[in-house]
Amino acid sequence: MKNRLKVLRAERDWSQAVLAEQLDVSRQAVNAIETGKYDPSLPLAFKISRLFNQPIEDIFDDEFTGATNG
Amino acid sequence: MNTPSKPSFKFYGKNSARTITAMFAMLFITGLMLLVRNSFDDIEPIADIANPLASSLALIIGVPIISFGLVIASNLDRRCTEDYTFQLMANAAQVAVITMLALNLLSSFDFLNELTGLRELQKDDMVGITLMSWATAYFIFRQRGLK
């Protein structure tokens, strides 16, 4: 799953440690999410969404390209 | 927007990734030491069991009780560690259990023992294998990611 976390963080000039503290997770967790090594849990994704005041789907891209059934 | 203060390091809290990593480094060394020590120790024969039925019952009753207790304990782990760290530990634990079972199975084949020099595994070997494998898998998952 791709995400814009690094971009959003850079826009605010926050370090990984600062973002980690706001999300109440470790810096390693933020790094793992940014580098695509870990998909955050749903509660953490909602927390990120609230922090940046953007919908989850604007931050995370599940790269799903299949057609939906009508 | 105000920039929050610099994060503080907690021993066993949301910022526990470094603590857990240090713990796994120690687990790896402990597992390694157990395996090496056992290789140089004489294997003691298993003593006759005085009451096989009582022994079996103790295990049959004891294992679910201990498992239940550990489920409660793992909930505490889940609350005290962040999701990422818990996922690393849980995924690595799965690898450790499978490694232990696989090595236990492999050690029962005589031809493999003769081919590789693998000896019959003992109680402490199981602990050593599990600890070492858990720690190794933890570091691999940290490096490679959880996908």
Side-chain angles (χ1 to χ4, degrees):
Chain A
M1 188 183 290
K2 289 179 181 173
N3 67 76
R4 295 177 54 239
L5 199 60
K6 192 173 182 178
V7 174
L8 292 169
R9 179 172 64 78
E11 284 172 0
R12 285 153 183 81
D13 202 22
W14 290 346
S15 65
Q16 286 184 341
V18 168
L19 177 58
E21 192 190 15
Q22 300 218 47
L23 296 172
D24 201 20
V25 298
S26 66
R27 189 197 61 75
Q28 287 83 354
V30 170
N31 183 57
I33 296 168
E34 284 188 359
T35 53
K37 289 180 175 177
Y38 162 63
D39 291 334
S41 63
L42 200 53
L44 181 55
F46 272 110
K47 214 182 244 185
I48 293 168
S49 166
R50 278 194 296 272
L51 179 66
F52 291 111
N53 202 24
Q54 292 192 21
I56 287 178
E57 58 267 32
D58 283 0
I59 302 172
F60 297 97
D61 178 9
D62 66 355
E63 300 169 273
F64 177 72
T65 53
T68 52
N69 292 325
Chain B
M1 189 178 285
N2 290 337
T3 306
S5 59
K6 201 176 176 187
S8 59
F9 178 75
K10 297 170 192 166
F11 178 71
Y12 192 70
K14 299 292 180 185
N15 299 326
S16 60
R18 269 183 287 182
T19 313
I20 300 285
T21 299
M23 184 189 86
F24 273 100
M26 284 192 287
L27 284 183
F28 182 87
I29 294 166
T30 307
L32 188 71
M33 284 168 67
L34 274 173
L35 289 175
V36 172
R37 192 201 66 180
N38 285 354
S39 294
F40 289 98
D41 275 358
D42 290 335
I43 297 171
E44 290 185 16
I46 299 170
D48 288 339
I49 300 166
N51 191 340
L53 185 65
S55 175
S56 301
L57 274 175
L59 285 173
I60 290 167
I61 295 167
V63 168
I65 290 172
I66 291 170
S67 299
F68 180 76
L70 290 177
V71 166
I72 306 292
S74 77
N75 281 342
L76 187 68
D77 260 352
R78 191 189 293 270
R79 279 199 296 272
C80 290
T81 55
E82 55 168 347
D83 184 64
Y84 172 60
T85 309
F86 188 82
Q87 289 292 328
L88 284 173
M89 290 168 66
N91 280 277
Q94 186 186 25
V95 172
V97 169
I98 294 167
T99 303
M100 189 267 287
L101 292 175
L103 270 176
N104 189 31
L105 178 70
L106 288 175
S107 76
S108 66
F109 294 117
D110 288 339
F111 75 96
L112 274 178
N113 294 353
E114 286 167 17
L115 198 69
T116 61
L118 185 69
R119 61 190 158 74
E120 191 182 337
L121 296 179
Q122 302 296 301
K123 186 173 63 177
D124 281 355
D125 289 326
M126 297 299 177
V127 177
I129 289 165
T130 307
L131 291 182
M132 216 173 137
S133 174
W134 194 16
T136 306
Y138 172 84
F139 289 115
I140 292 171
F141 276 124
R142 263 201 77 158
Q143 194 60 37
R144 284 191 59 231
L146 283 163
K147 292 181 176 176

